[in-house]
Short mmCIF file of all heavy atoms in Angstrom, two decimals:
data_model
loop_
_atom_site.label_atom_id
_atom_site.label_comp_id
_atom_site.label_asym_id
_atom_site.label_seq_id
_atom_site.Cartn_x
_atom_site.Cartn_y
_atom_site.Cartn_z
N THR B 323 160.38 152.20 114.89
CA THR B 323 160.03 152.33 113.48
C THR B 323 160.32 151.05 112.71
O THR B 323 159.84 150.85 111.60
CB THR B 323 160.84 153.47 112.81
OG1 THR B 323 162.22 153.24 113.06
CG2 THR B 323 160.41 154.81 113.34
N TRP B 324 161.12 150.14 113.31
CA TRP B 324 161.46 148.88 112.61
C TRP B 324 160.20 148.08 112.26
O TRP B 324 160.10 147.51 111.20
CB TRP B 324 162.41 148.04 113.49
CG TRP B 324 162.78 146.73 112.85
CD1 TRP B 324 163.71 146.53 111.88
CD2 TRP B 324 162.22 145.45 113.15
NE1 TRP B 324 163.78 145.20 111.55
CE2 TRP B 324 162.87 144.51 112.32
CE3 TRP B 324 161.24 144.99 114.03
CZ2 TRP B 324 162.57 143.15 112.35
CZ3 TRP B 324 160.94 143.65 114.07
CH2 TRP B 324 161.60 142.73 113.22
N ALA B 325 159.24 148.12 113.19
CA ALA B 325 158.02 147.33 113.02
C ALA B 325 157.23 147.76 111.79
O ALA B 325 156.39 147.01 111.29
CB ALA B 325 157.14 147.42 114.26
N ASP B 326 157.49 148.98 111.25
CA ASP B 326 156.78 149.40 110.04
C ASP B 326 157.30 148.67 108.81
O ASP B 326 156.59 148.50 107.83
CB ASP B 326 156.96 150.91 109.83
CG ASP B 326 156.41 151.68 111.02
OD1 ASP B 326 155.51 151.13 111.70
OD2 ASP B 326 156.88 152.80 111.28
N ASP B 327 158.57 148.30 108.85
CA ASP B 327 159.16 147.56 107.73
C ASP B 327 160.06 146.48 108.33
O ASP B 327 161.28 146.58 108.30
CB ASP B 327 159.96 148.52 106.85
CG ASP B 327 160.53 147.81 105.63
OD1 ASP B 327 160.01 146.72 105.27
OD2 ASP B 327 161.52 148.31 105.06
N PRO B 328 159.42 145.43 108.92
CA PRO B 328 160.18 144.50 109.77
C PRO B 328 160.98 143.47 108.98
O PRO B 328 160.57 142.34 108.83
CB PRO B 328 159.09 143.84 110.61
CG PRO B 328 157.87 143.90 109.76
CD PRO B 328 158.01 145.07 108.84
N ARG B 329 162.13 143.89 108.48
CA ARG B 329 163.01 142.96 107.76
C ARG B 329 164.18 142.58 108.62
O ARG B 329 164.61 143.32 109.49
CB ARG B 329 163.54 143.63 106.49
CG ARG B 329 162.49 143.78 105.45
CD ARG B 329 162.96 144.71 104.35
NE ARG B 329 161.82 145.02 103.51
CZ ARG B 329 161.35 144.17 102.59
NH1 ARG B 329 161.94 143.02 102.39
NH2 ARG B 329 160.30 144.50 101.89
N PHE B 330 164.70 141.40 108.34
CA PHE B 330 165.76 140.87 109.17
C PHE B 330 166.57 139.89 108.34
O PHE B 330 166.03 139.26 107.42
CB PHE B 330 165.13 140.15 110.38
CG PHE B 330 166.10 139.84 111.46
CD1 PHE B 330 166.52 140.82 112.35
CD2 PHE B 330 166.62 138.55 111.59
CE1 PHE B 330 167.42 140.52 113.35
CE2 PHE B 330 167.52 138.26 112.59
CZ PHE B 330 167.92 139.24 113.48
N SER B 331 167.84 139.80 108.65
CA SER B 331 168.67 138.89 107.86
C SER B 331 169.37 137.91 108.78
O SER B 331 170.00 138.30 109.76
CB SER B 331 169.66 139.74 107.08
OG SER B 331 170.52 138.89 106.39
N LEU B 332 169.23 136.61 108.48
CA LEU B 332 169.86 135.58 109.30
C LEU B 332 171.11 135.10 108.59
O LEU B 332 171.06 134.69 107.43
CB LEU B 332 168.92 134.38 109.46
CG LEU B 332 167.56 134.69 110.06
CD1 LEU B 332 166.61 133.51 109.87
CD2 LEU B 332 167.71 135.00 111.54
N THR B 333 172.24 135.16 109.27
CA THR B 333 173.47 134.73 108.61
C THR B 333 173.90 133.36 109.13
O THR B 333 173.66 132.99 110.27
CB THR B 333 174.62 135.73 108.85
OG1 THR B 333 174.82 135.83 110.26
CG2 THR B 333 174.30 137.07 108.27
N THR B 334 174.52 132.60 108.24
CA THR B 334 175.02 131.28 108.61
C THR B 334 176.42 131.12 108.05
O THR B 334 176.88 131.95 107.26
CB THR B 334 174.16 130.17 107.99
OG1 THR B 334 174.22 130.28 106.57
CG2 THR B 334 172.72 130.24 108.45
N GLY B 335 177.07 130.05 108.45
CA GLY B 335 178.45 129.81 108.03
C GLY B 335 178.59 129.51 106.55
O GLY B 335 179.52 129.95 105.89
N ASN B 336 177.67 128.73 106.01
CA ASN B 336 177.80 128.41 104.59
C ASN B 336 176.43 128.32 103.92
O ASN B 336 175.39 128.35 104.59
CB ASN B 336 178.56 127.09 104.41
CG ASN B 336 177.88 125.95 105.13
OD1 ASN B 336 176.68 125.72 104.97
ND2 ASN B 336 178.64 125.25 105.97
N LEU B 337 176.45 128.20 102.61
CA LEU B 337 175.23 128.27 101.83
C LEU B 337 174.28 127.10 102.10
O LEU B 337 173.08 127.27 102.19
CB LEU B 337 175.58 128.34 100.34
CG LEU B 337 174.41 128.67 99.40
CD1 LEU B 337 173.83 130.02 99.73
CD2 LEU B 337 174.86 128.62 97.95
N SER B 338 174.86 125.89 102.26
CA SER B 338 173.97 124.74 102.42
C SER B 338 173.20 124.83 103.75
O SER B 338 172.03 124.45 103.82
CB SER B 338 174.74 123.43 102.31
OG SER B 338 175.58 123.26 103.42
N THR B 339 173.87 125.33 104.80
CA THR B 339 173.16 125.51 106.07
C THR B 339 172.06 126.55 105.89
O THR B 339 170.94 126.39 106.40
CB THR B 339 174.12 125.98 107.18
OG1 THR B 339 175.29 125.19 107.12
CG2 THR B 339 173.49 125.86 108.54
N ALA B 340 172.37 127.61 105.16
CA ALA B 340 171.38 128.66 104.94
C ALA B 340 170.17 128.10 104.20
O ALA B 340 169.02 128.42 104.51
CB ALA B 340 172.00 129.81 104.15
N GLN B 341 170.42 127.20 103.22
CA GLN B 341 169.32 126.60 102.48
C GLN B 341 168.43 125.76 103.39
O GLN B 341 167.21 125.80 103.32
CB GLN B 341 169.86 125.74 101.34
CG GLN B 341 170.20 126.55 100.11
CD GLN B 341 171.14 125.85 99.16
OE1 GLN B 341 171.77 124.85 99.52
NE2 GLN B 341 171.26 126.38 97.97
N GLU B 342 169.11 125.00 104.27
CA GLU B 342 168.37 124.15 105.20
C GLU B 342 167.49 125.01 106.11
O GLU B 342 166.31 124.71 106.33
CB GLU B 342 169.40 123.37 106.03
CG GLU B 342 168.89 122.10 106.61
CD GLU B 342 169.99 121.41 107.43
OE1 GLU B 342 171.16 121.42 107.01
OE2 GLU B 342 169.66 120.91 108.51
N VAL B 343 168.10 126.11 106.63
CA VAL B 343 167.35 127.00 107.51
C VAL B 343 166.15 127.58 106.77
O VAL B 343 165.04 127.63 107.30
CB VAL B 343 168.27 128.12 108.04
CG1 VAL B 343 167.45 129.22 108.70
CG2 VAL B 343 169.29 127.55 109.01
#
Side-chain angles (χ1 to χ4, degrees):
Chain B
T323 53
W324 179 80
D326 300 335
D327 183 20
R329 288 167 191 282
F330 193 78
S331 176
L332 302 167
T333 58
T334 61
N336 58 52
L337 191 61
S338 70
T339 315
Q341 277 160 346
E342 204 181 320
V343 167

